[in-house]
Amino acid sequence: MLQGYAQANRVSIAHEYIDIETAKQTGRTNFEEMVCFLKKHSEVRTVLVEKTDRLYRNLKDWVTLDELDIEIHLIKEGIVLSRDSKSSEKKSCTESRC
């Protein structure tokens, strides 16, 4: 699904991360690797995600990604979040997980 979305929207995939770990607590291995990749590669500013709960699994994850100034495409919800998004869009995704 994500590869089809990327192709349709002319987004080049720099790296793929699959995370199957629980996130009741912080510290998911692939999530941390993705964050490190984004910090090292300032030219990569877009993250494609199946849906909200695949990415934001706890408050610390949300804060970590928000500080990176990236654009997040939540494919199933049809939402794109960025620094320019309205606060109500961000709030609805973090509270209700879209």
Side-chain angles (χ1 to χ4, degrees):
M1 174 181 17
L2 296 176
Q3 291 176 354
Y5 179 91
Q7 185 177 20
N9 291 280
R10 298 179 183 226
V11 174
S12 176
I13 297 176
H15 204 287
E16 183 176 326
Y17 296 91
I18 298 171
D19 209 345
I20 58 173
E21 297 176 56
T22 184
K24 290 181 180 178
Q25 298 177 358
T26 58
R28 292 180 288 157
T29 304
N30 288 335
F31 179 85
E32 296 300 326
E33 286 179 16
M34 179 188 71
V35 169
C36 287
F37 181 87
L38 291 166
K39 287 179 179 178
K40 289 179 184 176
H41 296 89
S42 60
E43 73 281 5
V44 178
R45 296 293 87 188
T46 303
V47 173
L48 305 181
V49 184
E50 179 185 359
K51 58 185 182 174
T52 308
D53 67 355
R54 299 291 103 204
L55 185 64
Y56 300 128
R57 297 202 185 166
N58 57 57
L59 184 57
K60 186 173 188 296
D61 291 351
W62 183 85
V63 171
T64 298
L65 292 174
D66 190 53
E67 290 174 347
L68 291 175
D69 191 22
I70 58 176
E71 186 174 89
I72 300 171
H73 294 238
L74 303 167
I75 307 306
K76 283 191 175 178
E77 290 92 355
I79 296 173
V80 176
L81 297 175
S82 69
R83 188 164 297 258
D84 297 329
S85 295
K86 295 177 184 175
S87 60
S88 62
E89 291 171 327
K90 292 179 181 179
K91 184 178 179 184
S92 69
C93 282
T94 57
E95 286 181 351
S96 67
R97 297 202 171 167
C98 294

